[in-house]
Every structure is written in C-alpha cells, then in structure tokens.
Amino acid sequence: MDLKRVLFLCTGNSARSQMAEGLLRHLAGDKFEVFSAGVRPTQLNPLAIKVMSEIGIDISKQKSKSIKEFFGQQFDYVITVCNNAKQTCPAFPGKYGKIHWKLEDPAEVQGSEEDKTKFFREIRNKIDKKIKKFLMKDKS
C-alpha cells in the first residue's frame, strides 16, 4: 500500500504547519508521508516545540523548509493553514485534495511568555481537532 502524501503549507513554516506535521505523523504516520513547508520559511518556533512536547510529540528535529523544495512533487493533499499560503500556493502535478484551515499565527502574538504559550496551546488544540476530522473523512 502506498502511503498518502500530505503537505502542510503556511507562511513561515515555524509553528502551525510544523505542529500539523507532527500531529498527523503522530496520529496516523503509518498511513501518510507528511511534510510541511513555508512560502517564506523562517525557523522552527521554540514555543511550538514546547506545546507539542506537552502532549508527548517531539518536533524538535523538524526543520523549516521552503515550498520550493517540493516543486514538481505529487501529493494526495495540500493543506494550507493560513490565508497567505492559500493565496500564494503553487500548483502541484496531478490530482490532489486542496484543503484550507484558517488559523491565526501564534508566532505573531504579543504579550508575556505565558500569554504566548497559552495561544500556542489553543492553536495546537485547533489543529489536533482538524486533523482528527481529516482522518475521519479519509478512511481509505
């Protein structure tokens, strides 16, 4: 059985798409080959690593990658997690499911470390719910 290929795409590939990659790999990694990338990649956000480790998922070895690394590759699903990525997402070869999840960028939140961490947790939990719904629909 071929693994389904999923690409999560956001602007910086620092938080939302990285958490989504880690969650899908954790929840159903035996069914999917999971990737994430950014339109303008930066670096993995330490708070993303922290809030994922709180639920037993280690994303500390993941790296921020450019969408350019994936040009020409085929995917079964391309999931954008922000409006910027949705608007600038290139076309990939073949047929694939395009899914858009509008999620606020936790890396943009101002305030105390506690406020930022709380918002990262909220976004992580939203992504977790969306991935579980996605897995319910993709029962192949």
Side-chain angles (χ1 to χ4, degrees), residues 7 9 39 67 71 78-80 83-92 96 98:
L7 175 65
L9 185 60
V39 177
I67 185 65
F71 284 173
V78 175
I79 302 175
T80 52
N83 287 339
N84 181 48
K86 181 183 181 195
Q87 292 161 359
T88 57
C89 183
F92 289 92
Y96 57 93
K98 287 183 189 174

Side-chain angles (χ1 to χ4, degrees), residues 7-8 10 14-16 18 33-34 36 39 50 69-70 80-81 88 97 99 101 107 109 112 125:
L7 175 65
F8 290 101
C10 71
S14 71
R16 294 165 290 187
Q18 293 281 357
E33 201 176 349
V34 189
S36 69
V39 177
K50 177 182 176 179
E69 288 183 36
F70 298 97
T80 52
V81 295
T88 57
I99 300 171
W101 297 341
V109 170
S112 68
N125 294 342

Side-chain angles (χ1 to χ4, degrees), residues 82-130:
C82 70
N83 287 339
N84 181 48
K86 181 183 181 195
Q87 292 161 359
T88 57
C89 183
F92 289 92
K95 277 184 71 147
Y96 57 93
K98 287 183 189 174
I99 300 171
H100 178 61
W101 297 341
K102 185 176 183 284
L103 297 163
E104 305 98 318
D105 187 354
E108 298 289 313
V109 170
Q110 302 298 309
S112 68
E113 194 73 8
E114 189 179 319
D115 291 340
K116 291 177 185 178
T117 303
K118 184 174 181 245
F119 195 69
F120 264 84
R121 285 185 190 115
E122 287 173 22
I123 296 300
R124 176 202 63 204
N125 294 342
K126 284 182 184 179
I127 293 168
D128 184 55
K129 283 187 179 113
K130 288 182 177 296

